[in-house]
Amino acid sequence: MMYEGFLFVIHLFLHTYCQLQVAAQFFLNLLRWWRVNKWNADILLSQTKTLGKMPGHVSLMFLEEDIPVQDIVKPIVWCICLGVTTISLYDYYGRLRSKKIEIDNELREYYADFTKNCKSTPKQQVSPKIQFVSVENGRTDLVHAARDITQDLLNGVVKDITKVNYQNYHKVFRNDHPDLMIKFGSLTTLAGYPPWPVHLTEIISLPTCLMISPYNFLDSLHRYFKIEKRVGK
């Protein structure tokens, strides 16, 4: 009984700590909100020009529920302005995919507002690839890959399974792994995210996406560029 009571206290403490962390981040974002209206693409580009080469593929993981679409599209637009060519939006149940039309409309509106009257040209020269990912993509992709490999073995296309390039059999993230993942939410988990594309991905966690400001996004980038990238070495 004492052991169970001790575990309960630990669980309660960790839960309370996570909730306080989310609340603190929310109020910090609320205080910064008054200054966010001054931000635009010019300021964002000037604040990041000395950081280095931006990641080509950024994955945004949303572990929170009921986040307004207006807050979801903000980091997408900031990525686009910085020249990110591929943006993956992940949530466990795939609810974002069902909001694709709403997200597209809000994205165009916020992008137009964020780049309005800007002197600098955003780094994006081509339309970015935006893909929606959920836990089912990982499971389904794994099943399809196993089926295709088996079929190639039976047909003699593959002679030695130990020499198979498994990446060629994936439908999602084929030769396009995220360089950076920004995870929104207090949970310490990847929540079913497909495991094979993130073995070299740098993962940055933020407590919440609610009322996210450019300051939060810039902080994530600064943390990303401070990480020593060994590329598996």
Side-chain angles (χ1 to χ4, degrees):
M1 292 292 295
M2 292 183 60
Y3 179 72
E4 292 178 353
F6 178 73
L7 289 179
F8 174 77
V9 172
I10 294 296
H11 174 76
L12 181 62
F13 173 78
L14 291 176
H15 176 74
T16 304
Y17 173 78
C18 290
Q19 293 302 315
L20 289 175
Q21 190 179 31
V22 171
Q25 186 66 58
F26 171 77
F27 284 111
L28 183 61
N29 289 347
L30 185 62
L31 291 174
R32 288 171 169 172
W33 181 84
W34 299 101
R35 298 178 62 186
V36 169
N37 290 332
K38 300 179 181 179
W39 277 75
N40 58 18
D42 281 342
I43 298 177
L44 181 64
L45 289 170
S46 67
Q47 292 291 320
T48 57
K49 63 182 180 181
T50 61
L51 289 180
K53 183 180 179 181
M54 288 295 154
H57 184 172
V58 173
S59 185
L60 303 175
M61 174 185 283
F62 300 91
L63 299 181
E64 305 170 280
E65 295 184 2
D66 302 323
I67 296 296
V69 172
Q70 293 87 342
D71 289 329
I72 292 174
V73 303
K74 288 178 181 178
I76 302 175
V77 168
W78 299 333
C79 285
I80 293 173
C81 289
L82 293 178
V84 177
T85 55
T86 303
I87 304 167
S88 300
L89 308 180
Y90 180 87
D91 70 304
Y92 186 87
Y93 295 104
R95 291 168 179 160
L96 292 180
R97 186 182 289 110
S98 65
K99 297 181 180 180
K100 184 179 184 304
I101 295 178
E102 183 181 358
I103 290 175
D104 286 344
N105 293 336
E106 190 66 35
L107 185 63
R108 285 192 291 269
E109 182 177 340
Y110 182 68
Y111 181 83
D113 182 64
F114 194 71
T115 58
K116 185 179 180 181
N117 299 325
C118 289
K119 298 178 181 179
S120 302
T121 301
K123 296 181 180 180
Q124 191 64 264
Q125 301 298 325
V126 296
S127 298
K129 175 184 177 183
I130 300 177
Q131 56 188 10
F132 294 85
V133 187
S134 69
V135 67
E136 284 305 316
N137 288 112
R139 293 172 179 172
T140 303
D141 199 31
L142 187 61
V143 171
H144 288 173
R147 180 198 60 194
D148 294 343
I149 291 172
T150 301
Q151 190 65 47
D152 285 348
L153 281 169
L154 294 175
N155 293 337
V157 177
V158 173
K159 304 297 183 182
D160 186 353
I161 195 171
T162 62
K163 297 180 180 180
V164 169
N165 184 355
Y166 297 97
Q167 191 62 46
N168 294 335
Y169 290 91
H170 293 310
K171 309 301 181 184
V172 182
F173 300 119
R174 179 178 292 182
N175 298 321
D176 189 16
H177 296 176
D179 303 297
L180 168 65
M181 175 192 292
I182 302 178
K183 180 171 67 70
F184 300 102
S186 59
L187 297 177
T188 308
T189 175
L190 290 181
Y193 197 96
W196 49 88
V198 294
H199 63 290
L200 295 177
T201 301
E202 304 295 348
I203 302 175
I204 305 294
S205 297
L206 292 177
T208 181
C209 186
L210 188 62
M211 296 189 69
I212 185 173
S213 75
Y215 297 99
N216 306 126
F217 183 71
L218 279 176
D219 178 66
S220 299
L221 290 179
H222 280 286
R223 290 160 62 185
Y224 168 76
F225 281 103
K226 287 181 180 179
I227 298 173
E228 184 178 0
K229 301 168 183 62
R230 297 180 179 274
V231 196
K233 297 182 180 179

